[in-house]
Amino acid sequence: MKLEGVHHVTAITAKAQENVDFYAGTLGLRMVKKTVNQDDPSVYHLFYADERGSAGSDITFFEYPGAAPGRAGDGMVHTVGWRLASADALSFWEQRLGDAGAAVERGEATIRFSDPEGLTHELRISTVEDQPLIADHPEVPKEVALQGFDGVRAFSSRPDASTKLLETLDFGRSGDGWEARGDGRGGLYAYDDPPGERGIPGAGTVHHVAWASQMDEHEQWRERVIEAGGQPTPVIDRFYFRSIYFREPSGVLFEIATLGPGFTADEPLETLGEKLSLPPDYERLRDQIEGIVKPIRNPRATARQG
Ligand code: ZN
């Protein structure tokens, strides 16, 4: 039983339209689902991924309009890592992100930048053989497109406290951290020393990272977490996948989510993310909800129409 790398990363935005412009516009991802927060249907939950809405490429945002900017600190993910094919791809993104006004820091095989609300991303030349998870975008040739997550890095003042849990979840040691590698994909997880200032959850910070489980192993992962001393939630049906949540000992909120049924559960692949999807319980409130959430414009649709 192995976790199949990162399933998704969920972060917080205060500004849905800017968020869509950046992730579906500048970064060239596909908005694969536009829905509402299951715990508060007056605000958006936006999902961006590859063309098929695959786990392993899916970054999602809760919109909290007016949320104050946060900052990553001890026990929080501070950087989201993505794979790129080549040095040419790094140069492409250095240029494109720079043109979009981002401050880009180039390393030997990486570039780092922050989204408009301060969430840090790192694009890395990847040598792993996992299938590249790519979205179609008219301005981003597929040779240079983002290929899905490489992994995340978190701040921890006591990384050793997490060892037992990570080993129980069958993470292996990799580089300066850990890797969850399954049959199809792997994802990295590593710790850095925390900054002096404490973290503040808010806009531009990661809320949780989800690891991918095969459909039929999800319950067993929950039992494993309990064996390792964790306190997982019951299995929650998120409609596009099933989830459990628990805080790992370094303080980072983990989720384990099933690989299916996926984003085509309630709309066809061709039109993913175009209309507001509502969980079945909220469908009867559609008129009311559509009256509350602000309409958002998808830059990708605009670019396609030329
Ligand atoms: Zn999640």
Side-chain angles (χ1 to χ4, degrees), residues 208-244:
H208 63 266
V209 55
W211 303 93
S213 158
Q214 301 289 354
M215 296 298 285
D216 56 354
E217 295 171 350
H218 197 234
E219 266 301 331
Q220 290 174 68
W221 283 119
R222 187 171 181 278
E223 283 157 27
R224 285 254 194 122
V225 173
I226 293 169
E227 270 168 40
Q231 297 182 309
T233 62
V235 173
I236 299 172
D237 186 358
R238 293 302 189 197
F239 199 57
Y240 310 114
F241 40 81
R242 294 192 303 275
S243 298
I244 58 169

PDB file of all heavy atoms in Angstrom, residues 208-244:
ATOM      1  N   HIS A 208      -3.840  23.206   3.455  1.00  0.00           N
ATOM      2  CA  HIS A 208      -3.467  21.805   3.692  1.00  0.00           C
ATOM      3  C   HIS A 208      -2.886  21.185   2.431  1.00  0.00           C
ATOM      4  O   HIS A 208      -3.030  21.731   1.340  1.00  0.00           O
ATOM      5  CB  HIS A 208      -4.670  20.984   4.185  1.00  0.00           C
ATOM      6  CG  HIS A 208      -5.801  20.894   3.201  1.00  0.00           C
ATOM      7  ND1 HIS A 208      -6.879  21.748   3.207  1.00  0.00           N
ATOM      8  CD2 HIS A 208      -6.024  20.044   2.160  1.00  0.00           C
ATOM      9  CE1 HIS A 208      -7.720  21.418   2.241  1.00  0.00           C
ATOM     10  NE2 HIS A 208      -7.222  20.389   1.581  1.00  0.00           N
ATOM     11  N   VAL A 209      -2.212  20.074   2.625  1.00  0.00           N
ATOM     12  CA  VAL A 209      -1.725  19.299   1.482  1.00  0.00           C
ATOM     13  C   VAL A 209      -2.361  17.925   1.559  1.00  0.00           C
ATOM     14  O   VAL A 209      -2.447  17.328   2.635  1.00  0.00           O
ATOM     15  CB  VAL A 209      -0.175  19.216   1.449  1.00  0.00           C
ATOM     16  CG1 VAL A 209       0.400  18.663   2.759  1.00  0.00           C
ATOM     17  CG2 VAL A 209       0.308  18.351   0.266  1.00  0.00           C
ATOM     18  N   ALA A 210      -2.847  17.449   0.403  1.00  0.00           N
ATOM     19  CA  ALA A 210      -3.507  16.139   0.351  1.00  0.00           C
ATOM     20  C   ALA A 210      -2.615  15.154  -0.397  1.00  0.00           C
ATOM     21  O   ALA A 210      -2.005  15.499  -1.412  1.00  0.00           O
ATOM     22  CB  ALA A 210      -4.855  16.262  -0.355  1.00  0.00           C
ATOM     23  N   TRP A 211      -2.561  13.940   0.117  1.00  0.00           N
ATOM     24  CA  TRP A 211      -1.809  12.850  -0.502  1.00  0.00           C
ATOM     25  C   TRP A 211      -2.803  11.871  -1.105  1.00  0.00           C
ATOM     26  O   TRP A 211      -3.908  11.707  -0.581  1.00  0.00           O
ATOM     27  CB  TRP A 211      -0.912  12.185   0.553  1.00  0.00           C
ATOM     28  CG  TRP A 211       0.002  13.192   1.185  1.00  0.00           C
ATOM     29  CD1 TRP A 211      -0.237  13.898   2.338  1.00  0.00           C
ATOM     30  CD2 TRP A 211       1.250  13.671   0.669  1.00  0.00           C
ATOM     31  NE1 TRP A 211       0.806  14.780   2.562  1.00  0.00           N
ATOM     32  CE2 TRP A 211       1.730  14.657   1.568  1.00  0.00           C
ATOM     33  CE3 TRP A 211       2.019  13.361  -0.460  1.00  0.00           C
ATOM     34  CZ2 TRP A 211       2.933  15.341   1.360  1.00  0.00           C
ATOM     35  CZ3 TRP A 211       3.222  14.032  -0.656  1.00  0.00           C
ATOM     36  CH2 TRP A 211       3.670  15.010   0.251  1.00  0.00           C
ATOM     37  N   ALA A 212      -2.397  11.234  -2.201  1.00  0.00           N
ATOM     38  CA  ALA A 212      -3.346  10.455  -2.996  1.00  0.00           C
ATOM     39  C   ALA A 212      -3.374   8.987  -2.577  1.00  0.00           C
ATOM     40  O   ALA A 212      -2.328   8.348  -2.431  1.00  0.00           O
ATOM     41  CB  ALA A 212      -2.983  10.562  -4.472  1.00  0.00           C
ATOM     42  N   SER A 213      -4.579   8.478  -2.411  1.00  0.00           N
ATOM     43  CA  SER A 213      -4.791   7.069  -2.062  1.00  0.00           C
ATOM     44  C   SER A 213      -5.554   6.361  -3.176  1.00  0.00           C
ATOM     45  O   SER A 213      -6.445   6.948  -3.798  1.00  0.00           O
ATOM     46  CB  SER A 213      -5.620   7.001  -0.769  1.00  0.00           C
ATOM     47  OG  SER A 213      -6.278   5.754  -0.630  1.00  0.00           O
ATOM     48  N   GLN A 214      -5.201   5.110  -3.398  1.00  0.00           N
ATOM     49  CA  GLN A 214      -6.042   4.271  -4.265  1.00  0.00           C
ATOM     50  C   GLN A 214      -7.436   4.194  -3.639  1.00  0.00           C
ATOM     51  O   GLN A 214      -7.587   4.275  -2.415  1.00  0.00           O
ATOM     52  CB  GLN A 214      -5.455   2.860  -4.384  1.00  0.00           C
ATOM     53  CG  GLN A 214      -4.037   2.819  -4.961  1.00  0.00           C
ATOM     54  CD  GLN A 214      -3.971   3.158  -6.442  1.00  0.00           C
ATOM     55  OE1 GLN A 214      -5.000   3.329  -7.097  1.00  0.00           O
ATOM     56  NE2 GLN A 214      -2.767   3.287  -6.970  1.00  0.00           N
ATOM     57  N   MET A 215      -8.434   4.015  -4.474  1.00  0.00           N
ATOM     58  CA  MET A 215      -9.826   4.010  -4.007  1.00  0.00           C
ATOM     59  C   MET A 215     -10.064   3.001  -2.875  1.00  0.00           C
ATOM     60  O   MET A 215     -10.709   3.301  -1.886  1.00  0.00           O
ATOM     61  CB  MET A 215     -10.775   3.673  -5.163  1.00  0.00           C
ATOM     62  CG  MET A 215     -10.813   4.683  -6.304  1.00  0.00           C
ATOM     63  SD  MET A 215     -11.391   6.292  -5.794  1.00  0.00           S
ATOM     64  CE  MET A 215     -13.152   5.985  -5.621  1.00  0.00           C
ATOM     65  N   ASP A 216      -9.543   1.783  -3.065  1.00  0.00           N
ATOM     66  CA  ASP A 216      -9.905   0.711  -2.127  1.00  0.00           C
ATOM     67  C   ASP A 216      -8.992   0.665  -0.901  1.00  0.00           C
ATOM     68  O   ASP A 216      -9.132  -0.221  -0.069  1.00  0.00           O
ATOM     69  CB  ASP A 216      -9.906  -0.639  -2.863  1.00  0.00           C
ATOM     70  CG  ASP A 216      -8.568  -0.918  -3.539  1.00  0.00           C
ATOM     71  OD1 ASP A 216      -7.690  -0.027  -3.528  1.00  0.00           O
ATOM     72  OD2 ASP A 216      -8.397  -2.033  -4.062  1.00  0.00           O
ATOM     73  N   GLU A 217      -8.056   1.585  -0.784  1.00  0.00           N
ATOM     74  CA  GLU A 217      -7.133   1.543   0.361  1.00  0.00           C
ATOM     75  C   GLU A 217      -7.370   2.670   1.367  1.00  0.00           C
ATOM     76  O   GLU A 217      -6.684   2.757   2.379  1.00  0.00           O
ATOM     77  CB  GLU A 217      -5.678   1.616  -0.152  1.00  0.00           C
ATOM     78  CG  GLU A 217      -5.292   0.403  -0.966  1.00  0.00           C
ATOM     79  CD  GLU A 217      -3.939   0.544  -1.664  1.00  0.00           C
ATOM     80  OE1 GLU A 217      -3.372   1.654  -1.683  1.00  0.00           O
ATOM     81  OE2 GLU A 217      -3.453  -0.469  -2.182  1.00  0.00           O
ATOM     82  N   HIS A 218      -8.358   3.492   1.072  1.00  0.00           N
ATOM     83  CA  HIS A 218      -8.538   4.719   1.856  1.00  0.00           C
ATOM     84  C   HIS A 218      -8.810   4.432   3.332  1.00  0.00           C
ATOM     85  O   HIS A 218      -8.183   5.036   4.218  1.00  0.00           O
ATOM     86  CB  HIS A 218      -9.689   5.524   1.232  1.00  0.00           C
ATOM     87  CG  HIS A 218      -9.746   6.951   1.654  1.00  0.00           C
ATOM     88  ND1 HIS A 218     -10.878   7.514   2.179  1.00  0.00           N
ATOM     89  CD2 HIS A 218      -8.804   7.931   1.660  1.00  0.00           C
ATOM     90  CE1 HIS A 218     -10.643   8.796   2.460  1.00  0.00           C
ATOM     91  NE2 HIS A 218      -9.391   9.065   2.150  1.00  0.00           N
ATOM     92  N   GLU A 219      -9.720   3.499   3.605  1.00  0.00           N
ATOM     93  CA  GLU A 219     -10.044   3.145   5.002  1.00  0.00           C
ATOM     94  C   GLU A 219      -8.796   2.641   5.737  1.00  0.00           C
ATOM     95  O   GLU A 219      -8.590   2.934   6.908  1.00  0.00           O
ATOM     96  CB  GLU A 219     -11.127   2.056   5.039  1.00  0.00           C
ATOM     97  CG  GLU A 219     -12.549   2.572   5.173  1.00  0.00           C
ATOM     98  CD  GLU A 219     -12.788   3.405   6.448  1.00  0.00           C
ATOM     99  OE1 GLU A 219     -12.111   3.166   7.471  1.00  0.00           O
ATOM    100  OE2 GLU A 219     -13.651   4.292   6.409  1.00  0.00           O
ATOM    101  N   GLN A 220      -7.997   1.868   5.010  1.00  0.00           N
ATOM    102  CA  GLN A 220      -6.794   1.316   5.643  1.00  0.00           C
ATOM    103  C   GLN A 220      -5.797   2.418   5.980  1.00  0.00           C
ATOM    104  O   GLN A 220      -5.095   2.344   6.981  1.00  0.00           O
ATOM    105  CB  GLN A 220      -6.127   0.301   4.721  1.00  0.00           C
ATOM    106  CG  GLN A 220      -6.909  -0.986   4.558  1.00  0.00           C
ATOM    107  CD  GLN A 220      -6.246  -1.881   3.517  1.00  0.00           C
ATOM    108  OE1 GLN A 220      -5.152  -2.403   3.717  1.00  0.00           O
ATOM    109  NE2 GLN A 220      -6.892  -2.047   2.380  1.00  0.00           N
ATOM    110  N   TRP A 221      -5.724   3.435   5.131  1.00  0.00           N
ATOM    111  CA  TRP A 221      -4.831   4.560   5.474  1.00  0.00           C
ATOM    112  C   TRP A 221      -5.302   5.241   6.749  1.00  0.00           C
ATOM    113  O   TRP A 221      -4.520   5.659   7.585  1.00  0.00           O
ATOM    114  CB  TRP A 221      -4.766   5.571   4.317  1.00  0.00           C
ATOM    115  CG  TRP A 221      -3.890   5.129   3.181  1.00  0.00           C
ATOM    116  CD1 TRP A 221      -4.263   4.905   1.899  1.00  0.00           C
ATOM    117  CD2 TRP A 221      -2.480   4.867   3.238  1.00  0.00           C
ATOM    118  NE1 TRP A 221      -3.188   4.513   1.148  1.00  0.00           N
ATOM    119  CE2 TRP A 221      -2.084   4.481   1.943  1.00  0.00           C
ATOM    120  CE3 TRP A 221      -1.521   4.909   4.257  1.00  0.00           C
ATOM    121  CZ2 TRP A 221      -0.759   4.132   1.645  1.00  0.00           C
ATOM    122  CZ3 TRP A 221      -0.196   4.570   3.959  1.00  0.00           C
ATOM    123  CH2 TRP A 221       0.162   4.196   2.671  1.00  0.00           C
ATOM    124  N   ARG A 222      -6.619   5.329   6.890  1.00  0.00           N
ATOM    125  CA  ARG A 222      -7.156   5.949   8.106  1.00  0.00           C
ATOM    126  C   ARG A 222      -6.718   5.149   9.341  1.00  0.00           C
ATOM    127  O   ARG A 222      -6.302   5.712  10.344  1.00  0.00           O
ATOM    128  CB  ARG A 222      -8.677   6.031   8.006  1.00  0.00           C
ATOM    129  CG  ARG A 222      -9.282   6.801   9.148  1.00  0.00           C
ATOM    130  CD  ARG A 222     -10.766   7.091   8.966  1.00  0.00           C
ATOM    131  NE  ARG A 222     -11.212   7.863  10.116  1.00  0.00           N
ATOM    132  CZ  ARG A 222     -11.538   7.316  11.280  1.00  0.00           C
ATOM    133  NH1 ARG A 222     -11.542   6.011  11.435  1.00  0.00           N
ATOM    134  NH2 ARG A 222     -11.871   8.100  12.301  1.00  0.00           N
ATOM    135  N   GLU A 223      -6.777   3.824   9.218  1.00  0.00           N
ATOM    136  CA  GLU A 223      -6.345   2.984  10.341  1.00  0.00           C
ATOM    137  C   GLU A 223      -4.860   3.158  10.627  1.00  0.00           C
ATOM    138  O   GLU A 223      -4.430   3.216  11.775  1.00  0.00           O
ATOM    139  CB  GLU A 223      -6.671   1.514  10.061  1.00  0.00           C
ATOM    140  CG  GLU A 223      -8.158   1.227  10.275  1.00  0.00           C
ATOM    141  CD  GLU A 223      -8.635   0.001   9.501  1.00  0.00           C
ATOM    142  OE1 GLU A 223      -7.819  -0.902   9.220  1.00  0.00           O
ATOM    143  OE2 GLU A 223      -9.846  -0.032   9.147  1.00  0.00           O
ATOM    144  N   ARG A 224      -4.069   3.277   9.554  1.00  0.00           N
ATOM    145  CA  ARG A 224      -2.627   3.499   9.732  1.00  0.00           C
ATOM    146  C   ARG A 224      -2.344   4.794  10.491  1.00  0.00           C
ATOM    147  O   ARG A 224      -1.455   4.857  11.319  1.00  0.00           O
ATOM    148  CB  ARG A 224      -1.944   3.612   8.365  1.00  0.00           C
ATOM    149  CG  ARG A 224      -1.787   2.314   7.662  1.00  0.00           C
ATOM    150  CD  ARG A 224      -0.327   1.875   7.708  1.00  0.00           C
ATOM    151  NE  ARG A 224      -0.163   0.807   6.762  1.00  0.00           N
ATOM    152  CZ  ARG A 224       0.696   0.830   5.747  1.00  0.00           C
ATOM    153  NH1 ARG A 224       1.485   1.879   5.574  1.00  0.00           N
ATOM    154  NH2 ARG A 224       0.787  -0.186   4.932  1.00  0.00           N
ATOM    155  N   VAL A 225      -3.082   5.841  10.134  1.00  0.00           N
ATOM    156  CA  VAL A 225      -2.873   7.128  10.807  1.00  0.00           C
ATOM    157  C   VAL A 225      -3.151   6.981  12.301  1.00  0.00           C
ATOM    158  O   VAL A 225      -2.395   7.471  13.145  1.00  0.00           O
ATOM    159  CB  VAL A 225      -3.778   8.223  10.191  1.00  0.00           C
ATOM    160  CG1 VAL A 225      -3.695   9.513  10.994  1.00  0.00           C
ATOM    161  CG2 VAL A 225      -3.387   8.477   8.739  1.00  0.00           C
ATOM    162  N   ILE A 226      -4.204   6.252  12.627  1.00  0.00           N
ATOM    163  CA  ILE A 226      -4.543   6.033  14.040  1.00  0.00           C
ATOM    164  C   ILE A 226      -3.435   5.236  14.728  1.00  0.00           C
ATOM    165  O   ILE A 226      -2.993   5.586  15.823  1.00  0.00           O
ATOM    166  CB  ILE A 226      -5.907   5.317  14.161  1.00  0.00           C
ATOM    167  CG1 ILE A 226      -7.017   6.251  13.661  1.00  0.00           C
ATOM    168  CG2 ILE A 226      -6.171   4.875  15.596  1.00  0.00           C
ATOM    169  CD1 ILE A 226      -8.375   5.590  13.470  1.00  0.00           C
ATOM    170  N   GLU A 227      -2.937   4.193  14.037  1.00  0.00           N
ATOM    171  CA  GLU A 227      -1.828   3.387  14.587  1.00  0.00           C
ATOM    172  C   GLU A 227      -0.624   4.249  14.916  1.00  0.00           C
ATOM    173  O   GLU A 227       0.087   4.012  15.875  1.00  0.00           O
ATOM    174  CB  GLU A 227      -1.338   2.372  13.537  1.00  0.00           C
ATOM    175  CG  GLU A 227      -2.011   1.038  13.542  1.00  0.00           C
ATOM    176  CD  GLU A 227      -1.629   0.278  12.263  1.00  0.00           C
ATOM    177  OE1 GLU A 227      -0.449   0.348  11.837  1.00  0.00           O
ATOM    178  OE2 GLU A 227      -2.542  -0.337  11.668  1.00  0.00           O
ATOM    179  N   ALA A 228      -0.376   5.260  14.085  1.00  0.00           N
ATOM    180  CA  ALA A 228       0.798   6.113  14.275  1.00  0.00           C
ATOM    181  C   ALA A 228       0.536   7.219  15.294  1.00  0.00           C
ATOM    182  O   ALA A 228       1.366   8.091  15.496  1.00  0.00           O
ATOM    183  CB  ALA A 228       1.206   6.736  12.940  1.00  0.00           C
ATOM    184  N   GLY A 229      -0.626   7.170  15.938  1.00  0.00           N
ATOM    185  CA  GLY A 229      -0.916   8.161  16.969  1.00  0.00           C
ATOM    186  C   GLY A 229      -1.641   9.386  16.453  1.00  0.00           C
ATOM    187  O   GLY A 229      -1.854  10.340  17.196  1.00  0.00           O
ATOM    188  N   GLY A 230      -2.012   9.390  15.171  1.00  0.00           N
ATOM    189  CA  GLY A 230      -2.721  10.538  14.606  1.00  0.00           C
ATOM    190  C   GLY A 230      -4.214  10.476  14.927  1.00  0.00           C
ATOM    191  O   GLY A 230      -4.725   9.441  15.382  1.00  0.00           O
ATOM    192  N   GLN A 231      -4.887  11.574  14.734  1.00  0.00           N
ATOM    193  CA  GLN A 231      -6.323  11.644  15.014  1.00  0.00           C
ATOM    194  C   GLN A 231      -7.082  12.087  13.768  1.00  0.00           C
ATOM    195  O   GLN A 231      -7.449  13.253  13.640  1.00  0.00           O
ATOM    196  CB  GLN A 231      -6.581  12.617  16.151  1.00  0.00           C
ATOM    197  CG  GLN A 231      -5.941  12.155  17.458  1.00  0.00           C
ATOM    198  CD  GLN A 231      -6.239  13.092  18.601  1.00  0.00           C
ATOM    199  OE1 GLN A 231      -6.050  14.293  18.511  1.00  0.00           O
ATOM    200  NE2 GLN A 231      -6.727  12.519  19.695  1.00  0.00           N
ATOM    201  N   PRO A 232      -7.294  11.141  12.859  1.00  0.00           N
ATOM    202  CA  PRO A 232      -7.959  11.525  11.601  1.00  0.00           C
ATOM    203  C   PRO A 232      -9.453  11.777  11.797  1.00  0.00           C
ATOM    204  O   PRO A 232     -10.076  11.207  12.692  1.00  0.00           O
ATOM    205  CB  PRO A 232      -7.744  10.296  10.718  1.00  0.00           C
ATOM    206  CG  PRO A 232      -7.641   9.154  11.679  1.00  0.00           C
ATOM    207  CD  PRO A 232      -6.965   9.711  12.907  1.00  0.00           C
ATOM    208  N   THR A 233      -9.998  12.618  10.938  1.00  0.00           N
ATOM    209  CA  THR A 233     -11.448  12.797  10.904  1.00  0.00           C
ATOM    210  C   THR A 233     -12.073  11.515  10.351  1.00  0.00           C
ATOM    211  O   THR A 233     -11.379  10.681   9.764  1.00  0.00           O
ATOM    212  CB  THR A 233     -11.823  13.931   9.924  1.00  0.00           C
ATOM    213  OG1 THR A 233     -11.379  13.553   8.610  1.00  0.00           O
ATOM    214  CG2 THR A 233     -11.195  15.259  10.322  1.00  0.00           C
ATOM    215  N   PRO A 234     -13.384  11.356  10.517  1.00  0.00           N
ATOM    216  CA  PRO A 234     -14.047  10.289   9.760  1.00  0.00           C
ATOM    217  C   PRO A 234     -13.866  10.546   8.264  1.00  0.00           C
ATOM    218  O   PRO A 234     -13.470  11.649   7.863  1.00  0.00           O
ATOM    219  CB  PRO A 234     -15.525  10.454  10.144  1.00  0.00           C
ATOM    220  CG  PRO A 234     -15.539  11.288  11.380  1.00  0.00           C
ATOM    221  CD  PRO A 234     -14.308  12.153  11.322  1.00  0.00           C
ATOM    222  N   VAL A 235     -14.157   9.545   7.443  1.00  0.00           N
ATOM    223  CA  VAL A 235     -14.099   9.733   5.994  1.00  0.00           C
ATOM    224  C   VAL A 235     -15.196  10.722   5.593  1.00  0.00           C
ATOM    225  O   VAL A 235     -16.356  10.568   5.985  1.00  0.00           O
ATOM    226  CB  VAL A 235     -14.292   8.393   5.251  1.00  0.00           C
ATOM    227  CG1 VAL A 235     -14.414   8.625   3.746  1.00  0.00           C
ATOM    228  CG2 VAL A 235     -13.144   7.439   5.561  1.00  0.00           C
ATOM    229  N   ILE A 236     -14.797  11.768   4.865  1.00  0.00           N
ATOM    230  CA  ILE A 236     -15.746  12.795   4.418  1.00  0.00           C
ATOM    231  C   ILE A 236     -15.883  12.684   2.903  1.00  0.00           C
ATOM    232  O   ILE A 236     -14.883  12.588   2.186  1.00  0.00           O
ATOM    233  CB  ILE A 236     -15.235  14.205   4.796  1.00  0.00           C
ATOM    234  CG1 ILE A 236     -15.098  14.316   6.324  1.00  0.00           C
ATOM    235  CG2 ILE A 236     -16.187  15.289   4.259  1.00  0.00           C
ATOM    236  CD1 ILE A 236     -14.427  15.590   6.798  1.00  0.00           C
ATOM    237  N   ASP A 237     -17.124  12.688   2.425  1.00  0.00           N
ATOM    238  CA  ASP A 237     -17.358  12.598   0.983  1.00  0.00           C
ATOM    239  C   ASP A 237     -17.287  13.991   0.380  1.00  0.00           C
ATOM    240  O   ASP A 237     -18.175  14.812   0.600  1.00  0.00           O
ATOM    241  CB  ASP A 237     -18.724  11.963   0.726  1.00  0.00           C
ATOM    242  CG  ASP A 237     -18.963  11.719  -0.763  1.00  0.00           C
ATOM    243  OD1 ASP A 237     -18.084  12.089  -1.582  1.00  0.00           O
ATOM    244  OD2 ASP A 237     -20.016  11.168  -1.108  1.00  0.00           O
ATOM    245  N   ARG A 238     -16.210  14.262  -0.360  1.00  0.00           N
ATOM    246  CA  ARG A 238     -16.048  15.557  -1.024  1.00  0.00           C
ATOM    247  C   ARG A 238     -16.604  15.535  -2.447  1.00  0.00           C
ATOM    248  O   ARG A 238     -16.305  16.420  -3.236  1.00  0.00           O
ATOM    249  CB  ARG A 238     -14.573  15.981  -1.028  1.00  0.00           C
ATOM    250  CG  ARG A 238     -14.001  16.297   0.345  1.00  0.00           C
ATOM    251  CD  ARG A 238     -14.771  17.401   1.027  1.00  0.00           C
ATOM    252  NE  ARG A 238     -14.140  17.890   2.250  1.00  0.00           N
ATOM    253  CZ  ARG A 238     -14.779  18.614   3.168  1.00  0.00           C
ATOM    254  NH1 ARG A 238     -16.056  18.904   3.000  1.00  0.00           N
ATOM    255  NH2 ARG A 238     -14.156  19.028   4.247  1.00  0.00           N
ATOM    256  N   PHE A 239     -17.335  14.494  -2.754  1.00  0.00           N
ATOM    257  CA  PHE A 239     -18.021  14.347  -4.027  1.00  0.00           C
ATOM    258  C   PHE A 239     -17.068  14.013  -5.177  1.00  0.00           C
ATOM    259  O   PHE A 239     -17.313  13.084  -5.925  1.00  0.00           O
ATOM    260  CB  PHE A 239     -18.853  15.596  -4.350  1.00  0.00           C
ATOM    261  CG  PHE A 239     -19.918  15.327  -5.377  1.00  0.00           C
ATOM    262  CD1 PHE A 239     -20.871  14.334  -5.161  1.00  0.00           C
ATOM    263  CD2 PHE A 239     -19.968  16.036  -6.559  1.00  0.00           C
ATOM    264  CE1 PHE A 239     -21.847  14.061  -6.111  1.00  0.00           C
ATOM    265  CE2 PHE A 239     -20.942  15.768  -7.518  1.00  0.00           C
ATOM    266  CZ  PHE A 239     -21.879  14.778  -7.286  1.00  0.00           C
ATOM    267  N   TYR A 240     -15.979  14.749  -5.321  1.00  0.00           N
ATOM    268  CA  TYR A 240     -14.991  14.450  -6.370  1.00  0.00           C
ATOM    269  C   TYR A 240     -13.937  13.463  -5.863  1.00  0.00           C
ATOM    270  O   TYR A 240     -13.187  12.896  -6.618  1.00  0.00           O
ATOM    271  CB  TYR A 240     -14.322  15.736  -6.860  1.00  0.00           C
ATOM    272  CG  TYR A 240     -15.350  16.784  -7.213  1.00  0.00           C
ATOM    273  CD1 TYR A 240     -15.458  17.966  -6.479  1.00  0.00           C
ATOM    274  CD2 TYR A 240     -16.260  16.552  -8.240  1.00  0.00           C
ATOM    275  CE1 TYR A 240     -16.440  18.900  -6.782  1.00  0.00           C
ATOM    276  CE2 TYR A 240     -17.247  17.476  -8.546  1.00  0.00           C
ATOM    277  CZ  TYR A 240     -17.332  18.649  -7.815  1.00  0.00           C
ATOM    278  OH  TYR A 240     -18.313  19.553  -8.105  1.00  0.00           O
ATOM    279  N   PHE A 241     -13.880  13.319  -4.541  1.00  0.00           N
ATOM    280  CA  PHE A 241     -13.013  12.329  -3.891  1.00  0.00           C
ATOM    281  C   PHE A 241     -13.471  12.189  -2.447  1.00  0.00           C
ATOM    282  O   PHE A 241     -14.281  12.992  -1.979  1.00  0.00           O
ATOM    283  CB  PHE A 241     -11.527  12.738  -3.955  1.00  0.00           C
ATOM    284  CG  PHE A 241     -11.262  14.208  -3.736  1.00  0.00           C
ATOM    285  CD1 PHE A 241     -11.219  14.740  -2.461  1.00  0.00           C
ATOM    286  CD2 PHE A 241     -11.067  15.064  -4.819  1.00  0.00           C
ATOM    287  CE1 PHE A 241     -10.982  16.090  -2.257  1.00  0.00           C
ATOM    288  CE2 PHE A 241     -10.830  16.424  -4.630  1.00  0.00           C
ATOM    289  CZ  PHE A 241     -10.786  16.937  -3.331  1.00  0.00           C
ATOM    290  N   ARG A 242     -12.980  11.152  -1.776  1.00  0.00           N
ATOM    291  CA  ARG A 242     -13.248  10.993  -0.345  1.00  0.00           C
ATOM    292  C   ARG A 242     -11.993  11.383   0.430  1.00  0.00           C
ATOM    293  O   ARG A 242     -10.878  11.151  -0.044  1.00  0.00           O
ATOM    294  CB  ARG A 242     -13.630   9.543  -0.030  1.00  0.00           C
ATOM    295  CG  ARG A 242     -14.950   9.120  -0.651  1.00  0.00           C
ATOM    296  CD  ARG A 242     -15.433   7.792  -0.074  1.00  0.00           C
ATOM    297  NE  ARG A 242     -14.458   6.727  -0.246  1.00  0.00           N
ATOM    298  CZ  ARG A 242     -14.341   5.989  -1.347  1.00  0.00           C
ATOM    299  NH1 ARG A 242     -15.132   6.196  -2.389  1.00  0.00           N
ATOM    300  NH2 ARG A 242     -13.425   5.035  -1.416  1.00  0.00           N
ATOM    301  N   SER A 243     -12.190  11.953   1.604  1.00  0.00           N
ATOM    302  CA  SER A 243     -11.064  12.545   2.321  1.00  0.00           C
ATOM    303  C   SER A 243     -11.063  12.205   3.799  1.00  0.00           C
ATOM    304  O   SER A 243     -12.117  12.047   4.404  1.00  0.00           O
ATOM    305  CB  SER A 243     -11.122  14.075   2.200  1.00  0.00           C
ATOM    306  OG  SER A 243     -11.021  14.462   0.854  1.00  0.00           O
ATOM    307  N   ILE A 244      -9.848  12.130   4.352  1.00  0.00           N
ATOM    308  CA  ILE A 244      -9.667  12.231   5.802  1.00  0.00           C
ATOM    309  C   ILE A 244      -8.645  13.329   6.048  1.00  0.00           C
ATOM    310  O   ILE A 244      -7.815  13.617   5.168  1.00  0.00           O
ATOM    311  CB  ILE A 244      -9.178  10.911   6.452  1.00  0.00           C
ATOM    312  CG1 ILE A 244      -7.845  10.453   5.833  1.00  0.00           C
ATOM    313  CG2 ILE A 244     -10.243   9.831   6.326  1.00  0.00           C
ATOM    314  CD1 ILE A 244      -7.186   9.315   6.609  1.00  0.00           C
TER     315      ILE A 244
END
